[in-house]
Amino acid sequence: MKIEIWSDIMCPFCYIGKRNFENALALFPNKQYIEVEWKSFQLDPAMPEVPKYQDDMYMFVADRKGLSYEQSKQRHEELIRYAKSVGLEYNLDKALVTNSMKGHRVIQFAKTKALGETAEEILFNAYFTQGKNLSNKEALIELGNEIGLTEDEVNTSLTDSLYKDKVESDSREAQALGAKGVPFFVVNRKYAIAGAQQPSEILKTLERSFSEWQNENPETALQTTDGKNCSIDGACRDL
């Protein structure tokens, strides 16, 4: 059963949603049947790589939302406590606000090597915990190495238009499915979970969806007649 997750690596609730999803999946008894695909969604594609107040998230949000600095800081302190409750450390005073396209391009390349989830985790942590600049090429090469990508592969992700196209295609797909924000989870193309919901609520959706999926995809028990064969571990019987 497939679960698609749209997120932006600079969305604080997406990282929290990732942890909540993982905690729900850990309680799900049939997780071996689950296939997860991470997808890109840019909340602000027009954001410059060096926006005003880049190194002061509190002031950046205050300026954008018409809040006072104190109001913005209070909201972010609440967010930090929320993140801590699911085991995440948000150092928002260190965060460098930037356009997320380059980070998403790296994720799209990582997906071609079955490293999509690893890339999501490392880039989330880099932004919210370490204060890395996710538009800086050298920083992305360093993070790419942590993901399992070579410098050449990171460079390819940043220069080949294919990976930009994949990011934009993912965003259009989410909007077509009715996403109004992220995180946005689509389960078996039948159910959607919007926002960073609690693990218990996610688990309910997983259980309901899996029951339906299992009915639609029953396991086939074959009656097998054995003969000479070679197994997947390379061993050949009777040789």
Side-chain angles (χ1 to χ4, degrees), residues 141-154:
I141 289 171
E142 178 185 335
L143 293 167
N145 289 335
E146 289 183 40
I147 294 166
L149 304 178
T150 67
E151 181 175 343
D152 285 345
E153 288 172 331
V154 173

Side-chain angles (χ1 to χ4, degrees), residues 36-213:
V36 177
E37 181 181 1
W38 286 88
K39 297 203 170 192
S40 297
F41 189 100
Q42 280 197 287
L43 288 168
D44 189 354
M47 182 184 291
E49 290 190 1
V50 185
K52 187 179 180 182
Y53 306 120
Q54 179 183 39
D55 60 354
D56 189 339
M57 182 178 284
Y58 304 146
M59 193 64 230
F60 174 83
V61 173
D63 182 63
R64 278 209 156 191
K65 295 187 177 293
L67 303 172
S68 69
Y69 187 87
E70 291 72 23
Q71 288 173 321
S72 177
K73 188 172 183 180
Q74 181 179 358
R75 291 189 183 186
H76 283 91
E77 287 173 348
E78 292 171 357
L79 179 60
I80 289 168
R81 289 192 292 272
Y82 185 17
K84 188 175 182 179
S85 73
V86 301
L88 297 174
E89 180 184 356
Y90 278 12
N91 295 315
L92 301 184
D93 55 329
K94 295 167 56 176
L96 294 172
V97 183
T98 189
N99 188 294
S100 62
M101 172 57 83
K102 288 183 177 178
H104 281 297
R105 291 176 73 137
V106 172
I107 290 170
Q108 291 292 341
F109 191 100
K111 285 172 62 175
T112 68
K113 303 188 73 175
L115 293 170
E117 192 280 333
T118 300
E120 290 278 350
E121 180 65 29
I122 286 173
L123 293 181
F124 272 135
N125 182 267
Y127 184 69
F128 288 107
T129 303
Q130 300 178 50
K132 299 278 188 179
N133 185 344
L134 297 189
S135 283
N136 179 272
K137 181 179 176 181
E138 287 70 31
L140 288 171
I141 289 171
E142 178 185 335
L143 293 167
N145 289 335
E146 289 183 40
I147 294 166
L149 304 178
T150 67
E151 181 175 343
D152 285 345
E153 288 172 331
V154 173
N155 283 329
T156 296
S157 76
L158 299 177
T159 56
D160 190 328
S161 62
L162 170 66
Y163 301 100
K164 180 175 183 290
D165 293 343
K166 286 179 178 290
V167 174
E168 294 172 344
S169 176
D170 276 0
S171 294
R172 289 193 298 270
E173 186 179 18
Q175 291 166 359
L177 288 169
K180 301 188 185 309
V182 284
F184 187 69
F185 303 76
V186 174
V187 184
N188 199 27
R189 285 288 167 136
K190 285 190 173 181
Y191 299 100
I193 303 170
Q197 295 194 27
Q198 292 300 312
S200 58
E201 292 302 313
I202 297 173
L203 186 58
K204 289 178 185 177
T205 302
L206 291 179
E207 290 170 341
R208 178 172 56 175
S209 301
F210 183 75
S211 176
E212 294 180 6
W213 178 86

